Amino acid sequence: MYSDTEREKSCGAVIWRVTPWGHEYLLIQHRRHWSFPKGHVEGAETEKATALREVKEETGLDVALDGRFRKIVSYQTQKGNMKDVVFFIATPIGGVERPQLEEINDLKWFTFRKALPRVTFETDNAVLCAAEKYIHAHNRKFIHGTSDEGKPMIPYSDIVDELKKRGIQKTAVQLPEGLKRFTPELCRVLKENGISCIISGDPCWGACDLSLDVAVDAGFLVHVGHTPVTKEENVLYIPYRRDISSAVLEKAAETLKVFKSVSVTTTIQHSHQIEAIAESLKALGVHAVIGRGSPRTPEPGQVLGCTYASAKNAGCDANLFIGTGVFHAIGVSLATKKPTYALDPYGSGDLQEVSADPFLRKRFVQIEKAKKANSFGILLSSKSGQARRDLAERLAGLHENAAVILIREISEMQLRNLGFDAYVNTACPRLALDDQSRFPCPLLSPAEFEIVLGIRSWDDYEIDEII
Amino acid sequence: MYSDTEREKSCGAVIWRVTPWGHEYLLIQHRRHWSFPKGHVEGAETEKATALREVKEETGLDVALDGRFRKIVSYQTQKGNMKDVVFFIATPIGGVERPQLEEINDLKWFTFRKALPRVTFETDNAVLCAAEKYIHAHNRKFIHGTSDEGKPMIPYSDIVDELKKRGIQKTAVQLPEGLKRFTPELCRVLKENGISCIISGDPCWGACDLSLDVAVDAGFLVHVGHTPVTKEENVLYIPYRRDISSAVLEKAAETLKVFKSVSVTTTIQHSHQIEAIAESLKALGVHAVIGRGSPRTPEPGQVLGCTYASAKNAGCDANLFIGTGVFHAIGVSLATKKPTYALDPYGSGDLQEVSADPFLRKRFVQIEKAKKANSFGILLSSKSGQARRDLAERLAGLHENAAVILIREISEMQLRNLGFDAYVNTACPRLALDDQSRFPCPLLSPAEFEIVLGIRSWDDYEIDEII
């Protein structure tokens, strides 16, 4: 009855999180109905890429998809076409919650009991019920803090052993936002072992964010999640690691083996496996190269949202980035100006070639807007690994009505309240490049500010890195 | 046609703010329609008290009402009654924006152009148009930074003179959130006078929040808005002052003269006038007494949300608090356990007797909830004037699963992420007492934690003060 061309396809995700009082689902209000984030597949996108993109666009959140849950619902659209919607399950791993202004009226977290009557369409109700059932069966990781293999997400006993070896009896502890909920358990374990602790409660998104105030206080700091970006004494770094299967590389190798050489990069979560990944790729016929890192990215092949040295150092014809989302891959592409592919380690193995063009178009709009600004606030971070004072002062000297602002958390509210027409970001580069949509006015990178002032040409655009 | 008893009355406010790109209105979504915050008059409440209460309940914001704008609209309710709604104009001065969970779906800021089509009812459209017209005619203060008398909100030239007298050539500047939008102008004026400056961009709600990091950096700090709460060198305090008219005291005196003695207290905005206010009250037959302050409240009769020493020191039979909102008045009432009246200095002169009972009932609910908690995070502030380390450590010692958390900005997100079942607040007392509704779990005061643990009785409840 319906031809293939009339059949539409969307992908989305049921996003959930654990709270101290149970787990909750994220619903979004689209016009008047409450539902889950989803949207149409664009071009040759994979289902998961569509879901990740739509979730990011509609909610502002970066999420980790659990592809073992894949539920399809079908219904007839108002235009009469049949539509299939593929839903995955996902949990937030980053980003900042904010509804997409043009499309979404609101987004809110609900318990299952409260979400069920709120969801408008019957097909969504069925998806929610299936998700609830699945989460109850597969919740070890989030509820109990152990991976599917039963290993704890936080290596409590390794931390205790290391502290005992060093004779530490009192320590500060700092966990990043995605793992902070394990803080009470870590404190309990330390206390049981005779180690007293004080917790860093401020937001933490990286080792550039080291809570040195709490460390000074306790004399020692356990920092969970990352490798060092600055030289600090008396800090024990416990990077967060997740194993990935080399099976995910097979399809990718078909595409990558046409290049003379391919750099392999990833984030700290997987960099412990990068040698093994490169070996697997070589066995599949890909000339894989691991570039050495930089002081901020001590592990081979490691990249950060502010440093792509390992991709540049590899000096290859093409790049493979292994990780969720496309932000880092776009960074690699801009930093190397070479074909760049993203591979989701939890996905189907389909490579996604990234293009920096949509990103550059958005930045161009902000640069044009900023040309009308009369005053510029130059943001200088007070975070240990993000403070580029010389750069901030140099930039402030370039415009009559520019002034340096020392700030810790860069939020929409602070930029509104401070009252400048536009801002230049010398803190975490990702803020200006990935989070512009939540700010009320242009937030420029240093190079973009120079373009606004006419002392750099658009052709010399470069991505902001902290070297 | 309608008897008096069937005529309903509500009061509310059109809330607006200035942004760098123009001014905006706050609309709230109630079920499906967009409107302004408003609600029924309760008991003997004044119109303005109703408007302030409803705005606080529905939006979380403390606002300053401009009573010179008073627009009444009337319509027939679904039940057939006639209803009058009185609207004032208001601007935010504190609180945290969050929609009331049970009643409000959403709240958002819109420019006039975007607000007009969004507002659902015709009567509200008329109010919005009247407000827009009024704001254009009376916007000097917000748009140009000058009061209605033409005086600048920030005494730029006094600041310059004082800095020159001290030979300061470089300074840090810190303005509280309500005045932060004048930062670019202050920088411009300083620069013109040969004084370079660096701005503190972090949130600031009081002198307990002094940006010592920026001060160290520049060697000197100009702090606008408040008087000192801690002893710091090289800080120039520029308290924010607003004059009030003694005409507002006349009606109040009728009620107050029955008491043997009445303490008079106010906030820093009006404390420069407190002697004159007391003299006026005496002339009206009230035995007005001004209590001496404390190190945190250096001005006579001054109170803060964390210190009611001047009310206690006055030792009177009753208390008069002059200022907007009822939070400070409830604090005076709890701290002195004497009849306490609030007087809005911009209002009609009607006194409001405050009762701590509704407040205490809410706290009782949180205490009962917290009795089920298994873990407690003891919040220790890293702000200069809010750090009560000894208290935090003592409290952490009272429960097996309690740990100290060093934190700067206490937000819903951080309390959620940190994963404790309940928290104890040793930072700004106002957070636990006034902002509970925005937190996901109980945030207790130190005394409340002791009640939870059974080492203090409910009869010994006392308000948290930083002495």
Side-chain angles (χ1 to χ4, degrees), chain A residues 79-126:
Chain A
K79 289 182 189 162
N81 293 346
M82 278 309 288
K83 180 168 179 176
D84 297 323
V85 188
V86 179
F87 282 106
F88 301 101
I89 271 187
T91 47
I93 53 169
V96 172
E97 220 175 284
R98 45 136 198 80
Q100 186 177 33
L101 283 183
E102 312 79 51
E103 292 198 15
I104 309 299
N105 280 331
D106 200 3
L107 51 87
K108 282 214 185 93
W109 292 93
F110 298 93
T111 59
F112 175 69
R113 202 170 54 81
K114 290 193 176 169
L116 201 59
R118 187 64 77 117
V119 160
T120 310
F121 300 117
E122 265 183 39
T123 48
D124 287 340
N125 269 319

Side-chain angles (χ1 to χ4, degrees), chain B residues 164-397:
Chain B
K164 284 190 172 169
K165 213 167 73 188
R166 299 190 190 201
I168 304 293
Q169 292 178 318
K170 183 182 181 190
T171 186
V173 298
Q174 181 181 34
L175 286 82
E177 296 314 290
L179 298 170
K180 244 194 183 70
R181 65 185 180 282
F182 301 117
T183 304
E185 179 65 6
L186 177 56
C187 288
R188 200 190 56 73
V189 172
L190 290 176
K191 211 167 178 178
E192 270 179 15
N193 283 277
I195 301 164
S196 73
C197 68
I198 175 167
I199 299 155
S200 166
D202 293 323
C204 171
W205 303 101
C208 49
D209 221 345
L210 222 56
S211 61
L212 296 177
D213 51 349
V214 196
V216 163
D217 204 81
F220 197 83
L221 172 67
V222 175
H223 175 92
V224 177
H226 316 100
T227 45
V229 303
T230 52
K231 276 191 189 164
E232 308 292 344
E233 285 179 9
N234 297 323
V235 179
L236 172 62
Y237 293 90
I238 306 287
Y240 176 60
R241 306 291 196 185
R242 288 191 70 184
D243 289 347
I244 57 183
S245 154
S246 61
V248 82
L249 302 169
E250 283 171 25
K251 264 196 269 181
E254 290 305 307
T255 305
L256 297 173
K257 64 189 180 188
V258 306
F259 295 101
K260 230 161 97 182
S261 62
V262 178
S263 84
V264 185
T265 53
T266 187
T267 59
I268 189 64
Q269 289 186 27
H270 313 301
S271 56
H272 61 297
Q273 288 187 301
I274 200 145
E275 298 285 353
I277 291 168
E279 288 310 311
S280 300
L281 284 169
K282 280 177 190 163
L284 293 163
V286 179
H287 183 53
V289 177
I290 302 169
R292 70 190 150 72
S294 69
R296 289 177 83 82
T297 48
E299 307 211 349
Q302 182 190 359
V303 292
L304 281 172
C306 56
T307 316
Y308 301 97
S310 66
K312 288 191 284 192
N313 290 339
C316 293
D317 298 337
N319 307 294
L320 169 66
F321 169 76
I322 299 174
T324 49
V326 294
F327 175 79
H328 290 94
I330 289 176
V332 168
S333 156
L334 281 165
T336 62
K337 301 188 166 46
K338 292 281 156 62
T340 301
Y341 298 84
L343 178 64
D344 174 0
Y346 311 113
S348 58
D350 291 319
L351 271 190
Q352 183 182 0
E353 182 169 5
V354 299
S355 161
D357 289 347
F359 166 84
L360 290 173
R361 278 196 294 275
K362 285 184 197 164
R363 299 313 304 163
F364 189 75
V365 170
Q366 297 302 325
I367 288 170
E368 288 305 306
K369 265 195 192 173
K371 285 181 179 170
K372 294 175 201 136
N374 291 316
S375 61
F376 292 89
I378 314 293
L379 303 176
L380 169 61
S381 178
S382 51
K383 294 184 178 182
S384 58
Q386 297 183 14
R388 289 186 283 177
R389 174 173 302 272
D390 293 346
L391 175 63
E393 287 177 355
R394 179 176 73 75
L395 295 173

Side-chain angles (χ1 to χ4, degrees), chain A residues 106 177 191 202 400 408, chain B residues 105 191 202 400 408 417:
Chain A
D106 200 3
E177 296 313 291
K191 211 168 178 177
D202 292 323
E400 195 186 12
R408 189 157 182 90
Chain B
N105 281 331
K191 211 167 178 178
D202 293 323
E400 195 187 11
R408 190 158 182 90
N417 286 354

